[in-house]
């Protein structure tokens, strides 16, 4: 049985994953309209992955005797003008998700909830991968700068990448 405190923390993480999925969906649509089909495909796939992250939490909460709450979601912000700005936003977003996950992990330890601590390790590993990929993509974008053929290749290459 989950403690109230852990149940609340997991439901908060569920909101974060749902918002992530929603943001990636908005970013995918933005990229599609901006003429970057590869980036759009990457973002759509990542939106689906974030939904899976949300579902994983939902099932865990319910299976452990808690009550998962499906939240209402605000319209995501799409305020960037360039692809580099978009990926900067993405990295910043994933860093804040990692910080939240670390908070939940800390709470699991202080509550001596070792099962949830174990469950959360999957998220810890996933965030490591996501941040590494976002950093790598940003490094490439910074090298490309304003070079149009470089951007074309970036869009083509990202088409075949897993959303991490
Ligand atoms: Fe599931 Fe990228 O956070």
């Amino acid at each position: 049985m989950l403690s109230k405190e852990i149940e609340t923390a997991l439901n908060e993480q569920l909101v974060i994953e749902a918002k992530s999925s929603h943001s990636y969906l908005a970013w995918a649509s933005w990229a599609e309209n901006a003429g970057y089909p590869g980036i759009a495909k990457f973002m759509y796939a990542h939106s689906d992955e974030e939904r899976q992250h949300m579902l994983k939490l939902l099932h865990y909460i319910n299976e452990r005797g808690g009550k998962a709450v499906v939240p209402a979601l605000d319209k995501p912000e799409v305020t960037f003008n360039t692809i580099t700005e978009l990926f900067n936003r993405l990295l910043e977003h994933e860093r804040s998700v990692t910080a939240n996950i670390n908070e939940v992990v800390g709470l699991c330890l202080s509550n001596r909830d070792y099962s949830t601590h174990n469950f959360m390790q999957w998220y810890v590993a996933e965030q490591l991968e996501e941040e590494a990929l976002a950093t790598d993509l940003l490094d490439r974008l910074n090298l490309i700068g304003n070079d149009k053929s470089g951007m074309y290749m970036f869009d083509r290459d990202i088409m075949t990448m897993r959303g991490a």
Side-chain angles (χ1 to χ4, degrees):
M1 187 82 180
L2 290 175
S3 71
K4 248 315 169 226
E5 196 178 7
I6 296 291
E7 181 183 349
T8 301
L10 292 178
N11 264 314
E12 282 168 6
Q13 190 61 39
L14 186 156
V15 174
I16 289 168
E17 302 294 345
K19 280 186 181 166
S20 282
S21 177
H22 219 41
S23 292
Y24 278 98
L25 186 63
W27 299 343
S29 181
W30 179 88
E32 195 162 49
N33 283 327
Y36 295 99
I39 294 168
K41 190 175 174 218
F42 174 87
M43 296 290 176
Y44 281 125
H46 202 117
S47 173
D48 288 345
E49 289 195 16
E50 295 295 353
R51 184 167 186 280
Q52 292 304 318
H53 299 176
M54 176 199 64
L55 276 173
K56 214 173 151 73
L57 279 156
L58 183 149
H59 293 313
Y60 181 81
I61 295 166
N62 287 341
E63 278 162 14
R64 293 286 315 280
K67 275 196 173 48
V69 181
V70 176
L73 298 174
D74 293 334
K75 184 175 160 211
E77 264 188 46
V78 189
T79 51
F80 29 78
N81 300 303
T82 66
I83 296 298
T84 306
E85 268 182 53
L86 164 59
F87 278 87
N88 267 311
R89 178 78 193 84
L90 187 159
L91 179 58
E92 184 193 309
H93 171 78
E94 289 304 339
R95 282 181 176 154
S96 84
V97 174
T98 303
N100 278 296
I101 285 171
N102 289 340
E103 287 295 318
V104 179
V105 170
L107 206 61
C108 290
L109 285 179
S110 59
N111 276 264
R112 297 177 175 241
D113 183 342
Y114 300 115
S115 306
T116 307
H117 181 267
N118 187 45
F119 167 77
M120 289 304 297
Q121 294 313 301
W122 183 87
Y123 288 85
V124 171
E126 181 68 17
Q127 284 309 119
L128 256 182
E129 260 191 54
E130 288 192 7
E131 280 194 38
L133 177 63
T135 305
D136 178 50
L137 292 172
L138 254 183
D139 286 347
R140 288 196 214 183
L141 284 168
N142 286 328
L143 276 177
I144 291 166
N146 291 323
D147 179 50
K148 281 200 165 45
S149 62
M151 270 312 300
Y152 175 82
M153 303 244 283
F154 179 89
D155 189 61
R156 192 198 57 189
D157 292 347
I158 202 172
M159 179 104 59
T160 54
M161 276 185 199
R162 182 181 161 256

